[in-house]
Amino acid sequence: MVLGVSGGIAAYKACELLRRLKDDGHDVTPIPTPATLGFVGETTWAALSGKPIRTRVDEDAHLVPHVTMGRAADLVFVAPATADLMARVAAGRCDDLLTATILTATCPIVMAPAMHTEMWLNAATQANVATLRERGITVIDPAEGRLTGADTGPGRLVEPAELLLHARSVLADPEVARSAARQDLAGVRLVVSAGGTREQLDPVRYLGNHSSGLMGFAIARAARLRGATVTVVAGAVDHEPPAGCTVEEVVSTADLDAAMRRHEADADAIVMAAAPADFTPASRADGKIKKDDESSRLQLDLVQTPDVLHGLAQRRDASSTSATGTRRTPLLVGFAAETAGSVEALTDLARAKRRRKGCDLIVANDVSGGAIFGAADTSTLLVDEERAIPVAGDKNVVGHRIVDWVSSQQSAD
């Protein structure tokens, strides 16, 4: 792949991205623009990539590098993409090696912008972004946060760890790039829950589970890339939420239930990827529960927590206008973590849970032996009213397949 780097202060983050891409097993050729070398020098790019660095088309002209690299690449990933770089690409200019390579590339092209807020929001930049997307180029909206100096706002380069996940998704399935360029979920309001919940026993202990939040975050990341407005309701998670999402943190299943009630009325689709605890202590100890030297047992009185997914379905159906032919909203996607033992058993369990919960799609996992939780890869069945579709691989790619289903339902309206 080609890693394009344009001349902005965020170029230093591309060094980390280059290292992460190489550690991930990719053959990466960096192409900095001439302006980039004023921020990060040629020696750094050569040392990190192990390759000679070119910035101009006339360097090693007998090799015609812009054509050979553009034809050979599986992905051209530009990070950071400055306002100037995007304007030149939108205009079809090729006044350095990077822009010339982009013009010859037939593979997916992804750009991760970074600039000051005023530059990002400027009408000219937004028009250039629209032009690039119309031409099939994926543009990742920048994050909001600290910029140069004391300034903050939208325009910050998405962190390298997250950019790596986008690169993985596009390399695994080029259709991801096409969907992102089309912004097929623009205007869709999506709420995603992620992670586990914690039910307090005393001030220091809780009941919980092994959910890491990776799958919920992958779905949120995919939907945000494709234009959706995304709210993430996050319980206990092991990772940072995706850039560009509104995040509400919760602790217990009761907290999760209350948050979903607040968001359901404004949502077009809800994905319940969280793993809420099914039971909670009937009462919480005010102080730390001490060991009793006279007994080797601790007895707990547990009560069931609210069934968040089923409650969403019940409230939706109670106010549904489906009798007039209008699709029920919001769409509901549930998850089923089962210890099934076989694909057939998992399918049966998923279909039964879909009917019991009243949701539109169930994403079923076989978690026998602790599989799936916290892992980068997953193996699932997407079960709706008609089909049971096996989907496996990196969770970010699976996230796009789930978002595909949501997009297909929105398109059917």
Side-chain angles (χ1 to χ4, degrees), residues 171-349:
L171 286 166
D173 182 6
E175 185 58 37
V176 167
R178 288 186 279 270
S179 297
R182 292 196 307 271
Q183 293 287 277
D184 61 335
L185 287 180
V188 173
R189 297 163 300 180
L190 182 71
V191 178
V192 182
S193 67
T197 60
R198 294 178 173 180
E199 308 299 322
Q200 291 297 136
L201 293 172
D202 62 23
V204 298
R205 299 185 183 91
Y206 61 85
L207 296 176
N209 57 56
H210 294 296
S211 179
S212 67
L214 270 179
M215 191 69 252
F217 285 175
I219 294 165
R221 182 177 298 109
R224 187 70 194 90
L225 181 66
R226 292 161 65 165
T229 299
V230 181
T231 298
V232 176
V233 179
V237 295
D238 296 340
H239 305 272
E240 289 296 316
C245 301
T246 300
V247 180
E248 179 174 348
E249 296 180 349
V250 296
V251 177
S252 68
T253 300
D255 296 337
L256 175 63
D257 185 48
M260 302 312 292
R261 287 173 182 267
R262 286 193 295 272
H263 294 296
E264 62 187 353
D266 296 326
D268 296 303
I270 295 175
V271 180
M272 281 293 300
D278 294 321
F279 296 92
T280 190
S283 62
R284 172 183 167 179
D286 293 331
K288 180 181 176 182
I289 301 171
K290 302 294 186 179
K291 285 184 178 180
D292 185 350
D293 293 336
E294 297 179 2
S295 174
S296 60
R297 293 186 178 185
L298 173 66
Q299 293 185 330
L300 298 175
D301 184 13
L302 302 178
V303 296
Q304 287 192 12
T305 57
D307 189 327
V308 183
L309 178 59
H310 187 47
L312 287 166
Q314 285 184 314
R315 292 189 296 275
R316 176 193 67 177
D317 294 347
S319 60
S320 172
T321 57
S322 58
T324 64
T326 304
R327 177 180 60 78
R328 301 175 301 173
T329 55
L331 282 169
L332 292 179
V333 178
F335 273 66
E338 305 284 0
T339 50
S342 69
V343 173
E344 294 76 13
L346 183 62
T347 304
D348 290 341
L349 289 168

Side-chain angles (χ1 to χ4, degrees), residues 1-24:
M1 61 181 287
V2 167
L3 175 63
V5 188
S6 56
I9 187 61
Y12 78 93
K13 289 186 176 181
C15 297
E16 182 183 348
L17 178 58
L18 173 56
R19 176 63 61 84
R20 286 177 177 271
L21 290 167
K22 285 181 63 65
D23 288 347
D24 211 40

Side-chain angles (χ1 to χ4, degrees), residues 119-141:
M119 299 174 72
W120 170 250
L121 297 178
N122 188 280
T125 302
Q126 292 300 305
N128 288 332
V129 169
T131 296
L132 294 172
R133 284 172 170 163
E134 288 171 3
R135 294 176 184 168
I137 293 177
T138 298
V139 180
I140 302 170
D141 284 345

